[in-house]
Amino acid sequence: MRRSRRAALAACLILAIAATPGAVLAQTVDELYASAVKARQARHFDEAVDLLRRALALKPDNADALVQLGFAELGRNDLAAARDAFSKALSLAPTYQDASFGLAEIEFRSGNLDAALPLAESVARAQPGNTDAAALVENIRKAMQAAG
């Protein structure tokens, strides 16, 4: 009888600790970031945004998290929020090519082809093997010719 009470008490204690909100929030910036990247790659953009915002609350000057937030916001088609995230990342790391690529994508989606092209070309020059940047440059040029 005594043994079963102890076991029940231990089980209750474990459940109480696991249910504590602080246990969920005790994730590190790196853990939140890694989970967010996985969520974004799985196209779970709302979850990714939530995780990245939590990571940024712990470390606001994390340029990597800001870039990932920008891409997650692009996935949600929130161009204003994506622009804000990429701009903040570039203010912290002015040569961050992924942030520049994100801004080029925003300008392209917004129809600002004259602003999109130099951004995309800059990334393509800096990263010659970046097929996404090369494809974006090509798509912008095609759109400019069609509009021309």
Side-chain angles (χ1 to χ4, degrees), residues 22-128:
V24 174
L25 297 176
Q27 292 177 299
T28 67
V29 171
D30 291 340
E31 290 169 335
L32 290 165
Y33 178 83
S35 296
V37 170
K38 286 179 186 174
R40 186 186 66 76
Q41 290 171 338
R43 304 185 64 77
H44 300 282
F45 301 119
D46 292 335
E47 179 185 354
V49 166
D50 177 59
L51 291 165
L52 289 162
R53 286 184 180 156
R54 288 173 45 200
L56 288 163
L58 297 172
K59 188 176 179 190
D61 62 345
N62 186 330
D64 292 325
L66 286 164
V67 168
Q68 288 296 321
L69 178 60
F71 285 118
E73 293 289 12
L74 273 177
R76 296 188 336 166
N77 205 33
D78 188 340
L79 300 184
R83 180 185 307 276
D84 184 53
F86 291 130
S87 296
K88 284 179 182 174
L90 285 170
S91 73
L92 295 169
T95 60
Y96 203 142
Q97 295 300 316
D98 290 345
S100 294
F101 176 81
L103 285 178
E105 183 69 36
I106 290 168
E107 296 299 349
F108 177 62
R109 290 186 189 188
S110 299
N112 301 326
L113 304 178
D114 290 334
L117 186 59
L119 287 166
E121 287 175 332
S122 173
V123 174
R125 275 192 307 275
Q127 300 175 342

